[in-house]
Short mmCIF file of all heavy atoms in Angstrom, two decimals:
data_model
loop_
_atom_site.label_atom_id
_atom_site.label_comp_id
_atom_site.label_asym_id
_atom_site.label_seq_id
_atom_site.Cartn_x
_atom_site.Cartn_y
_atom_site.Cartn_z
N LEU B 548 4.13 17.39 16.84
CA LEU B 548 5.56 17.61 17.07
C LEU B 548 6.29 16.32 17.51
O LEU B 548 5.84 15.57 18.34
CB LEU B 548 5.80 18.65 18.11
CG LEU B 548 5.09 19.94 17.87
CD1 LEU B 548 5.45 21.01 18.87
CD2 LEU B 548 5.52 20.61 16.42
N CYS B 549 7.41 15.99 16.60
CA CYS B 549 8.04 14.73 16.88
C CYS B 549 9.52 15.13 17.18
O CYS B 549 10.09 16.00 16.39
CB CYS B 549 7.95 13.70 15.85
SG CYS B 549 6.27 13.15 15.51
N ARG B 550 10.17 14.49 17.93
CA ARG B 550 11.71 14.46 18.07
C ARG B 550 12.11 13.21 18.77
O ARG B 550 12.26 12.08 18.18
CB ARG B 550 12.15 15.75 18.69
CG ARG B 550 13.54 16.08 18.38
CD ARG B 550 13.99 17.43 19.22
NE ARG B 550 15.22 17.80 18.72
CZ ARG B 550 16.04 18.84 19.37
NH1 ARG B 550 15.41 19.51 20.26
NH2 ARG B 550 17.21 19.17 18.90
N ASP B 551 12.45 13.43 20.09
CA ASP B 551 12.51 12.24 20.98
C ASP B 551 11.30 11.88 21.57
O ASP B 551 10.90 12.46 22.71
CB ASP B 551 13.66 12.49 22.05
CG ASP B 551 13.89 11.40 22.88
OD1 ASP B 551 13.56 10.31 22.60
OD2 ASP B 551 14.39 11.58 24.03
N GLY B 552 10.46 11.27 20.87
CA GLY B 552 9.06 11.06 21.28
C GLY B 552 8.16 12.09 20.40
O GLY B 552 8.57 12.56 19.39
N TYR B 553 6.94 12.10 20.87
CA TYR B 553 5.95 12.97 20.14
C TYR B 553 4.99 13.64 21.10
O TYR B 553 4.82 13.00 22.16
CB TYR B 553 5.17 12.12 19.11
CG TYR B 553 4.32 11.13 19.61
CD1 TYR B 553 3.09 11.29 20.09
CD2 TYR B 553 4.87 9.85 19.77
CE1 TYR B 553 2.14 10.31 20.57
CE2 TYR B 553 4.10 8.78 20.33
CZ TYR B 553 2.88 9.08 20.80
OH TYR B 553 1.99 8.01 21.28
N VAL B 554 4.41 14.66 20.73
CA VAL B 554 3.26 15.34 21.38
C VAL B 554 2.24 15.81 20.45
O VAL B 554 2.52 16.40 19.46
CB VAL B 554 3.70 16.49 22.43
CG1 VAL B 554 4.38 17.60 21.57
CG2 VAL B 554 2.63 16.89 23.26
N LEU B 555 0.96 15.55 20.65
CA LEU B 555 -0.10 15.90 19.86
C LEU B 555 -0.68 17.07 20.26
O LEU B 555 -0.80 17.47 21.42
CB LEU B 555 -1.22 14.75 19.77
CG LEU B 555 -0.82 13.41 19.56
CD1 LEU B 555 -2.15 12.47 19.39
CD2 LEU B 555 -0.02 13.28 18.26
N PRO B 556 -1.24 18.01 19.31
CA PRO B 556 -2.02 18.98 19.61
C PRO B 556 -3.33 18.57 20.28
O PRO B 556 -3.59 17.26 20.35
CB PRO B 556 -2.41 19.78 18.33
CG PRO B 556 -2.24 18.60 17.18
CD PRO B 556 -1.18 17.66 17.85
N PRO B 557 -4.16 19.43 20.91
CA PRO B 557 -5.29 18.87 21.66
C PRO B 557 -6.26 18.10 20.81
O PRO B 557 -6.70 18.41 19.65
CB PRO B 557 -6.04 20.17 22.01
CG PRO B 557 -4.96 21.28 22.10
CD PRO B 557 -3.99 20.93 20.94
N VAL B 558 -6.57 16.92 21.23
CA VAL B 558 -7.48 15.94 20.57
C VAL B 558 -8.64 15.73 21.56
O VAL B 558 -8.49 15.22 22.65
CB VAL B 558 -6.74 14.60 20.17
CG1 VAL B 558 -7.79 13.64 19.64
CG2 VAL B 558 -5.58 14.85 19.30
N ALA B 559 -9.80 16.30 21.18
CA ALA B 559 -10.98 16.19 21.93
C ALA B 559 -10.60 16.69 23.45
O ALA B 559 -10.96 15.97 24.41
CB ALA B 559 -11.66 14.86 22.10
N GLY B 560 -9.82 17.67 23.52
CA GLY B 560 -9.56 18.26 24.88
C GLY B 560 -8.35 17.72 25.71
O GLY B 560 -8.22 18.01 26.79
N GLN B 561 -7.62 16.88 24.95
CA GLN B 561 -6.45 16.21 25.60
C GLN B 561 -5.25 16.09 24.68
O GLN B 561 -5.31 15.71 23.50
CB GLN B 561 -7.03 14.89 26.10
CG GLN B 561 -6.08 14.08 27.00
CD GLN B 561 -6.71 13.08 27.81
OE1 GLN B 561 -6.86 13.03 28.97
NE2 GLN B 561 -7.33 12.08 27.14
N HIS B 562 -4.06 16.39 25.29
CA HIS B 562 -2.73 16.12 24.53
C HIS B 562 -2.46 14.75 24.89
O HIS B 562 -2.62 14.13 25.87
CB HIS B 562 -1.77 17.11 25.10
CG HIS B 562 -1.87 18.58 24.69
ND1 HIS B 562 -1.63 19.10 23.50
CD2 HIS B 562 -2.40 19.61 25.40
CE1 HIS B 562 -1.91 20.34 23.52
NE2 HIS B 562 -2.37 20.70 24.66
N VAL B 563 -1.60 14.16 23.88
CA VAL B 563 -0.92 12.86 24.15
C VAL B 563 0.55 13.04 23.91
O VAL B 563 0.92 13.54 22.88
CB VAL B 563 -1.46 11.82 23.09
CG1 VAL B 563 -0.80 10.48 23.41
CG2 VAL B 563 -3.01 11.64 23.23
N LEU B 564 1.35 12.53 24.90
CA LEU B 564 2.73 12.70 24.96
C LEU B 564 3.24 11.28 25.09
O LEU B 564 2.94 10.46 25.99
CB LEU B 564 3.15 13.57 26.08
CG LEU B 564 4.68 13.66 26.40
CD1 LEU B 564 5.44 14.27 25.33
CD2 LEU B 564 4.85 14.41 27.72
N GLY B 565 4.24 11.00 24.29
CA GLY B 565 4.90 9.67 24.39
C GLY B 565 5.94 9.33 23.48
O GLY B 565 6.41 10.29 22.78
N ALA B 566 6.38 8.11 23.33
CA ALA B 566 5.90 6.96 24.20
C ALA B 566 7.13 6.28 24.64
O ALA B 566 8.12 6.32 23.92
CB ALA B 566 4.94 6.02 23.44
N THR B 567 7.06 5.73 25.82
CA THR B 567 8.26 5.01 26.31
C THR B 567 8.52 3.70 25.55
O THR B 567 7.51 3.14 25.03
CB THR B 567 7.94 4.75 27.81
OG1 THR B 567 6.94 3.75 27.95
CG2 THR B 567 7.84 5.92 28.62
N TYR B 568 9.62 3.24 25.73
CA TYR B 568 10.09 1.77 25.14
C TYR B 568 10.54 1.16 26.52
O TYR B 568 11.70 1.32 26.72
CB TYR B 568 10.98 1.91 24.03
CG TYR B 568 10.46 2.02 22.64
CD1 TYR B 568 9.97 3.37 22.27
CD2 TYR B 568 10.31 1.06 21.87
CE1 TYR B 568 9.46 3.50 21.02
CE2 TYR B 568 9.61 1.15 20.64
CZ TYR B 568 9.28 2.40 20.25
OH TYR B 568 8.68 2.60 18.86
N ASP B 569 9.73 0.45 27.06
CA ASP B 569 10.18 -0.31 28.34
C ASP B 569 10.37 -1.72 28.08
O ASP B 569 9.47 -2.54 28.02
CB ASP B 569 9.01 -0.03 29.39
CG ASP B 569 8.66 1.37 29.69
OD1 ASP B 569 9.55 2.20 29.54
OD2 ASP B 569 7.50 1.73 29.87
N PHE B 570 11.67 -1.99 27.74
CA PHE B 570 12.00 -3.45 27.47
C PHE B 570 11.96 -4.34 28.66
O PHE B 570 12.31 -3.94 29.81
CB PHE B 570 13.38 -3.44 26.82
CG PHE B 570 13.53 -2.70 25.58
CD1 PHE B 570 13.87 -1.44 25.42
CD2 PHE B 570 13.10 -3.39 24.31
CE1 PHE B 570 13.93 -0.60 24.26
CE2 PHE B 570 13.15 -2.70 23.05
CZ PHE B 570 13.54 -1.38 23.12
N SER B 571 11.57 -5.62 28.49
CA SER B 571 11.44 -6.60 29.54
C SER B 571 10.78 -6.15 30.79
O SER B 571 11.03 -6.48 31.91
CB SER B 571 12.94 -6.93 29.96
OG SER B 571 13.78 -7.38 28.88
N VAL B 572 9.68 -5.36 30.46
CA VAL B 572 8.64 -4.94 31.63
C VAL B 572 7.27 -5.37 31.10
O VAL B 572 6.82 -5.02 30.13
CB VAL B 572 8.71 -3.41 31.82
CG1 VAL B 572 7.75 -2.94 32.78
CG2 VAL B 572 10.12 -2.92 32.16
N ASP B 573 6.60 -6.06 31.98
CA ASP B 573 5.23 -6.63 31.74
C ASP B 573 4.26 -5.91 32.54
O ASP B 573 2.99 -6.37 32.44
CB ASP B 573 5.19 -8.15 31.86
CG ASP B 573 6.07 -8.89 31.01
OD1 ASP B 573 6.09 -8.44 29.71
OD2 ASP B 573 6.60 -9.86 31.33
N ASP B 574 4.51 -4.86 33.18
CA ASP B 574 3.55 -4.29 34.10
C ASP B 574 2.48 -3.57 33.33
O ASP B 574 2.77 -2.59 32.44
CB ASP B 574 4.23 -3.18 35.09
CG ASP B 574 3.45 -2.68 36.21
OD1 ASP B 574 2.18 -2.94 36.09
OD2 ASP B 574 3.96 -2.02 37.00
N GLU B 575 1.15 -3.89 33.41
CA GLU B 575 0.13 -3.24 32.73
C GLU B 575 -0.39 -1.97 33.39
O GLU B 575 -1.19 -1.23 32.76
CB GLU B 575 -0.95 -4.19 32.64
CG GLU B 575 -0.60 -5.51 31.77
CD GLU B 575 -1.75 -6.39 31.47
OE1 GLU B 575 -2.89 -6.19 32.03
OE2 GLU B 575 -1.53 -7.49 30.92
N ASN B 576 0.16 -1.79 34.54
CA ASN B 576 -0.33 -0.46 35.25
C ASN B 576 0.51 0.79 34.85
O ASN B 576 1.78 0.56 34.55
CB ASN B 576 -0.25 -0.78 36.71
CG ASN B 576 -1.23 -1.84 37.12
OD1 ASN B 576 -2.34 -1.81 36.83
ND2 ASN B 576 -0.65 -2.78 37.92
N LEU B 577 0.01 1.93 35.12
CA LEU B 577 0.78 3.14 34.89
C LEU B 577 1.96 3.12 35.92
O LEU B 577 1.83 2.91 36.94
CB LEU B 577 -0.10 4.33 35.06
CG LEU B 577 -1.13 4.49 33.91
CD1 LEU B 577 -2.02 5.76 34.35
CD2 LEU B 577 -0.51 4.90 32.55
N ARG B 578 3.12 3.56 35.43
CA ARG B 578 4.33 3.71 36.32
C ARG B 578 4.89 5.18 36.24
O ARG B 578 4.92 5.80 35.20
CB ARG B 578 5.28 2.68 35.70
CG ARG B 578 4.99 1.29 35.57
CD ARG B 578 6.05 0.54 34.84
NE ARG B 578 7.19 0.15 35.71
CZ ARG B 578 8.38 0.27 35.29
NH1 ARG B 578 8.71 0.61 34.13
NH2 ARG B 578 9.40 -0.08 36.13
N ALA B 579 5.11 5.61 37.41
CA ALA B 579 5.61 6.99 37.68
C ALA B 579 6.98 7.03 36.84
O ALA B 579 7.15 8.17 36.26
CB ALA B 579 5.79 7.38 39.19
N LEU B 580 7.79 6.07 36.84
CA LEU B 580 9.04 6.21 36.22
C LEU B 580 8.83 6.38 34.61
O LEU B 580 9.58 7.15 34.14
CB LEU B 580 9.79 4.90 36.41
CG LEU B 580 11.18 4.79 35.66
CD1 LEU B 580 12.14 5.97 36.10
CD2 LEU B 580 11.92 3.41 35.90
N SER B 581 7.92 5.63 34.12
CA SER B 581 7.60 5.81 32.68
C SER B 581 7.00 7.29 32.40
O SER B 581 7.37 7.88 31.31
CB SER B 581 6.71 4.79 32.18
OG SER B 581 7.24 3.42 32.28
N GLN B 582 6.25 7.69 33.26
CA GLN B 582 5.56 9.11 33.05
C GLN B 582 6.62 10.14 33.09
O GLN B 582 6.70 11.10 32.27
CB GLN B 582 4.55 9.36 34.09
CG GLN B 582 3.86 10.76 33.92
CD GLN B 582 2.58 10.95 34.40
OE1 GLN B 582 1.64 10.31 34.03
NE2 GLN B 582 2.43 11.85 35.49
N ASN B 583 7.65 9.98 34.05
CA ASN B 583 8.70 10.94 34.10
C ASN B 583 9.61 10.94 32.83
O ASN B 583 10.14 11.98 32.54
CB ASN B 583 9.50 10.71 35.34
CG ASN B 583 8.81 10.95 36.58
OD1 ASN B 583 7.82 11.76 36.68
ND2 ASN B 583 9.21 10.41 37.71
N ARG B 584 9.73 9.77 32.21
CA ARG B 584 10.56 9.72 31.03
C ARG B 584 9.74 10.46 29.91
O ARG B 584 10.44 11.10 29.14
CB ARG B 584 10.77 8.23 30.64
CG ARG B 584 11.70 7.51 31.39
CD ARG B 584 11.83 6.04 31.06
NE ARG B 584 12.86 5.31 31.76
CZ ARG B 584 12.84 3.99 31.92
NH1 ARG B 584 12.09 3.32 31.20
NH2 ARG B 584 13.84 3.51 32.56
N ASN B 585 8.59 10.37 29.93
CA ASN B 585 7.79 11.13 28.96
C ASN B 585 7.93 12.63 29.20
O ASN B 585 8.06 13.44 28.30
CB ASN B 585 6.38 10.71 29.00
CG ASN B 585 6.05 9.39 28.25
OD1 ASN B 585 6.88 8.99 27.30
ND2 ASN B 585 4.97 8.70 28.55
#
Side-chain angles (χ1 to χ4, degrees):
L548 302 179
C549 302
R550 199 180 189 190
D551 179 21
Y553 63 87
V554 62
L555 306 188
V558 176
Q561 192 158 243
H562 294 279
V563 180
L564 170 67
T567 63
Y568 277 77
D569 303 324
F570 297 92
S571 302
V572 177
D573 290 326
D574 191 352
E575 297 182 0
N576 298 308
L577 291 171
R578 302 171 75 223
L580 178 61
S581 297
Q582 176 156 299
N583 289 340
R584 286 176 181 165
N585 281 336

